[in-house]
Amino acid sequence: MASRRPAPPDGGYGWVVVTSAFFIMGLTAAVLKNFGLFFLDIQSHFGVLTSTTSWVTSTTIATFHLGAPAASALTLLFSQRAVIIVGGLLSASGMLLASLDLSLPCLYLTMGILQGIGISFSWIPANSMVSHYFAQWRPIAYAIASSGECVFAIVFSPFFQWLIEMYGWQGALLIIGGLQLNLCVCGVLMRPLETTQSPTEKTEEDVEADAAVAPPRRKTVIFQCSLLRKPELLLYILFAVFAAAGFFIPPVFLVPFANSLGMDNYWPASILSVLALADLAGRLICGWIANMRLLRNLQLLTMVVTLLGVVLLLLPISHNYWAILVFSSLYGFLFGCVVAIHVTSIVDIVTLEGFDSGLGLFMMFRSIGGFTGLPAAGWLVDETKDYSSAFYLSGLCLIFSAVFIVLVDWLIQRKKANEADVYQVIGQQEDWETG
């Protein structure tokens, strides 16, 4: 009797999984998105350059992405539940140790590496669970789950600012670490789908033979590195590298940019809250549009990535609160649109069977952009003494990345057209032979 992957139930306990993933996104990505609130305090505390301070967030982002293949492999070896619980413990430990304020290199290790691995071990399995529980409703289910990042970011922006003012940035990190322990609770709720058995009946001798040959409940780990032979995935990885180089710059530099214009602390924090609200709207609306199948996912992704780059090129012309608020809202909405579909588009490239491995490879190589983008932006700010240069770099990287999405979509459509021609020829031959 052969075991096989169960069909996605498209509902039922899947909505519990979506709810758990919602909280996981909030306790990982939303925390990372608000690292910019700590930027100036850490910089002034250690008396270092902008580029030096940016390595803290850059290390977190890079480790988050580099840990993706390990998270995917451990998910295949054990379960999503176990990996998420470990991720929660690592994330909380990173923040708790960072609050000790030992030195800036220690922040790279704790707030950077430990926090990044913890986020990766929580975020990757959560996305995997949503994709395996849903097929028809996958875009909207993923949009709802990922919107946890936005909802929590709306709350976290003023809350973190208040924590910093009340307890200092060290005390704020300690409390955030305690909050991230709830990732372990979310992991417990992630019930893996049970493998189903083929309907063929077996004799008692067959059952005893199977029991003697194969140990029960043992999993075979198959991390498909061979997916890198697919040109479509390679091009999509190039999109990820350039997009990541620009993706994480605005959340980190938006608060310092607003402060450089003379705004008080709570005004920049309110901008982050509005940005997160627009991000939430973008994820839900784009997920709904993707679920309607009006456009191919890759077509929709090309449009929103290009528009996102244009908005970031225009954002630095803002020199008052309301103008920054408008462009930040547009940025947040388009950012949410990209997040809603860029992960689920991997299924279109490698199919559901290769999704776990494809996501791991995608995230691992995306770390190149995430690791270099922020320090490059920090270096430009140090050289030009102007935060606008960081947004120009971000916008150009995103516009350039859209070119690779166009190429991926063209290759996939050409392959489908070729397969359709082959099936048509085979059908004609069968008709001729029948005739």
Side-chain angles (χ1 to χ4, degrees), residues 5 27 35 56 60 92 114 119 126 136 206 234 261 263 283 302 349 365 377 391 410-411 421-422 426:
R5 185 188 297 274
L27 293 169
F35 270 16
V56 176
T60 312
L114 275 179
I119 291 175
Q136 180 182 355
D206 291 332
L234 288 175
L261 300 177
M263 297 183 189
R283 295 182 194 224
T302 303
I349 299 171
F365 285 103
F391 294 95
W410 177 73
L411 284 176
D421 291 340
V422 170
I426 293 175

Side-chain angles (χ1 to χ4, degrees), residues 350-361:
V350 300
T351 71
L352 184 59
E353 291 294 327
F355 176 77
D356 289 333
S357 300
L359 179 60
L361 293 169

